[in-house]
Structures are given as structure tokens and as C-alpha cells.
Amino acid sequence: MKRIVLLLFLCLTAATAFCEVPTDRLFQIDRSKNRNIVCYDVNLENGSLNLDNPLEVYWIRHEEGGMKKDLSFLQRKLAYGYKVVDKGQNEATVKLIAYDRQNLRICRLGSQWVALTTIKGQECILSAIYVKAKSTNSLSVEYVELRGKSVSRGTMISERIFP
């Protein structure tokens, strides 16, 4: 357990140290495999949400000096992409390709764009997803941890999901 907490701390510290988090960042995926992160930013057109393509998704390759890089076709279609499942007035609901049991509602909360989801039964502003790969096969997932801030309580909440 101490090793996982240390790894999580190192991943978050590395992400902060190498990359200033833009204000349009909704959440990111941190992985146990390496320090590279997948970023999910809100995609706006003239201040309004692009309902057909509400997220800009890309890599920050910390293992390659912090360069920004687009997802490959396969990464978009099989792992880190998303699909829009509902559109509203200046908001959209999406599901991540790799985990389509969780809805993410992209919307404004006050003056801030957020990705709302349910964590431990509470509506939360999603900030990060941590993917722990199995030590025997880095393509297999041991668990996924959702992290966010409770909308009603203002406290940080996390939940591990095991496949």
C-alpha cells in the first residue's frame, strides 16, 4: 500500500513539476506504467462548448521531455477516446471508450468548466483517473481509481474500480 501511495504521489508531483496545468483542463489520466499523462481539456468555440467534440484529448509525454502529442488512431478508438452520448444546452454527456459504464457530464459550474461524474455515490468534479497496470502485463488493468471533489461537500473523494 505504501508503494502505491508513493507511486501516486510521484506521478502527481511529476505531472505538476513538468507541466503547468491549463485552466481548460478538466481531468487527466495518470498511469502506473510511466509518467506520461493523457489530458482531457474542454473544447470551446467562441466561449461555447463544442457539442460534437467537447473534449480535446492528447498526451503530455513526460518521458520525452514534456512534449505534447496527439493520440494515435488506435489510442483514440480503443483506449483514451470518448463518445458523446447526449447533448444539451451548452453541455454534453460523454463516456470514455475504455470504461463506458461511467457518464461524464461536461458543463459549466459557476464560471468553471467541469466534468461531473459519480464517485462513491456522490456527484463530483472529476480531476484525475489513475490506471494501475498489472505487474505481469502492462496492457492489463489491475484497478482504476477515480478522483474528484464532491459538489455538495467540497471534499476530495476517490474510488477504486476493479475490472
Side-chain angles (χ1 to χ4, degrees), residues 6 19 28-29 36 56-57 96 100 118 129 140 145:
L6 178 61
C19 173
Q28 66 189 41
I29 295 181
N36 298 334
E56 179 187 355
V57 186
L96 298 180
D100 66 357
T118 303
I129 298 172
S140 294
E145 184 172 290

Side-chain angles (χ1 to χ4, degrees), residues 56-61 67-73 75-76:
E56 179 187 355
V57 186
Y58 57 91
W59 287 100
I60 296 291
R61 299 286 194 146
M67 73 174 0
K68 182 178 177 178
K69 188 173 180 184
D70 290 336
L71 297 178
S72 71
F73 176 80
Q75 290 167 342
R76 247 187 349 271

Side-chain angles (χ1 to χ4, degrees), residues 99-119:
Y99 188 71
D100 66 357
R101 292 179 276 175
Q102 192 89 13
N103 284 337
L104 305 175
R105 186 165 57 105
I106 312 306
C107 62
R108 282 184 86 90
L109 193 61
S111 62
Q112 178 183 354
W113 286 97
V114 297
L116 294 176
T117 194
T118 303
I119 302 174

Side-chain angles (χ1 to χ4, degrees), residues 19-96:
C19 173
E20 184 178 315
V21 178
T23 56
D24 53 355
R25 171 80 42 83
L26 297 176
F27 63 96
Q28 66 189 41
I29 295 181
D30 302 299
R31 304 166 321 127
S32 63
K33 185 176 178 179
N34 56 39
R35 297 180 306 134
N36 298 334
I37 60 174
V38 182
C39 303
Y40 293 79
D41 295 352
V42 65
N43 186 16
L44 302 176
E45 289 181 355
N46 301 319
S48 294
L49 185 64
N50 179 330
L51 296 176
D52 295 321
N53 189 25
L55 298 172
E56 179 187 355
V57 186
Y58 57 91
W59 287 100
I60 296 291
R61 299 286 194 146
H62 293 298
E63 299 288 325
E64 300 169 23
M67 73 174 0
K68 182 178 177 178
K69 188 173 180 184
D70 290 336
L71 297 178
S72 71
F73 176 80
L74 287 177
Q75 290 167 342
R76 247 187 349 271
K77 295 298 179 187
L78 301 176
Y80 302 112
Y82 66 94
K83 59 183 173 182
V84 177
V85 294
D86 193 24
K87 299 175 189 177
Q89 178 133 351
N90 212 23
E91 70 176 52
T93 300
V94 303
K95 290 183 184 242
L96 298 180

Side-chain angles (χ1 to χ4, degrees), residues 5 9 11 22 29 49 60 73 81 96 105 118 123 127 131 142 144 148 150-151 157 163:
V5 170
F9 173 76
C11 285
I29 295 181
L49 185 64
I60 296 291
F73 176 80
L96 298 180
R105 186 165 57 105
T118 303
E123 183 178 54
S127 58
V131 178
E142 185 176 323
V144 172
S150 169
V151 172
I157 296 177

